[in-house]
Amino acid sequence: MAVQTKLNNTSMPFILEGQSFVKTGTIVKDAARTTVLKQFTVLAKVASSRKYTPYVSATQTTGASMPLAIYLGPDIAAADLVADDVDDLDILVGGGCTVDENQVVFDDDTLSADTVVNAAAANPYMVMTARDCLAMFGIFMQDTTDISEFEN
């Protein structure tokens, strides 16, 4: 009896063009975490510790509501983040590069590139989205279409 198999590979790069500035950083411990932190997750930075955290709220006042970086490394198990801070991670912090918007991950499904970041306390006339915040740091998102389709 013959067996048919197929393999769907993707070769779309995440960083599409431009100069990228990648820095080694730390993602802060999250004792309540139950899911994997995926590659290309949008990050914010806790002002007091200067450590990164997944961008999960547009209204926090700790600095964690400002999307400003993207995690580039492999997925991180929830157990690792529950146990302690995770160090020596590659984090895209800017530089003037364009990334594939379709690969960008928001850790909270209610957030997106078009989520309005709460800046009203600092300046009620400055309304910015997560996309705008990342662009301020030199990370520009571009919607792409991969012309190579998966095999039938």
Side-chain angles (χ1 to χ4, degrees):
M1 179 165 107
V3 176
Q4 181 178 354
T5 63
K6 70 178 182 178
L7 178 63
N8 293 323
N9 289 327
T10 181
S11 60
M12 274 303 279
F14 178 67
I15 299 173
L16 301 172
E17 62 185 1
Q19 299 295 318
S20 58
F21 181 56
V22 177
K23 172 180 167 177
T24 300
T26 299
I27 294 182
V28 71
K29 174 182 178 174
D30 181 356
R33 187 149 190 109
T34 58
T35 59
V36 169
L37 181 74
K38 296 181 181 176
Q39 182 181 43
F40 307 138
T41 296
V42 175
L43 301 175
K45 189 185 284 186
V46 179
S48 61
S49 68
R50 308 292 298 155
K51 296 177 183 175
Y52 294 93
T53 183
Y55 168 63
V56 293
S57 171
T59 59
Q60 290 184 13
T61 58
T62 62
S65 64
M66 173 72 77
L68 52 77
I70 297 176
Y71 170 61
L72 295 178
D75 294 354
I76 301 172
D80 292 338
L81 288 166
V82 168
D84 203 358
D85 294 351
V86 181
D87 298 318
D88 298 324
L89 302 173
D90 289 334
I91 297 174
L92 175 65
V93 295
C97 61
T98 303
V99 299
D100 182 0
E101 182 174 348
N102 299 308
Q103 295 183 55
V104 172
V105 175
F106 286 88
D107 204 47
D108 182 333
D109 291 337
T110 64
L111 300 176
S112 73
D114 298 317
T115 298
V116 174
V117 175
N118 183 12
N123 184 348
Y125 304 106
M126 185 173 157
V127 178
M128 296 179 60
T129 64
R131 178 188 316 277
D132 297 331
C133 290
L134 288 169
M136 280 185 2
F137 294 97
I139 303 171
F140 302 93
M141 289 192 274
Q142 179 178 339
D143 189 16
T144 60
T145 302
D146 186 359
I147 59 171
S148 300
E149 294 296 326
F150 288 134
E151 177 184 336
N152 287 342

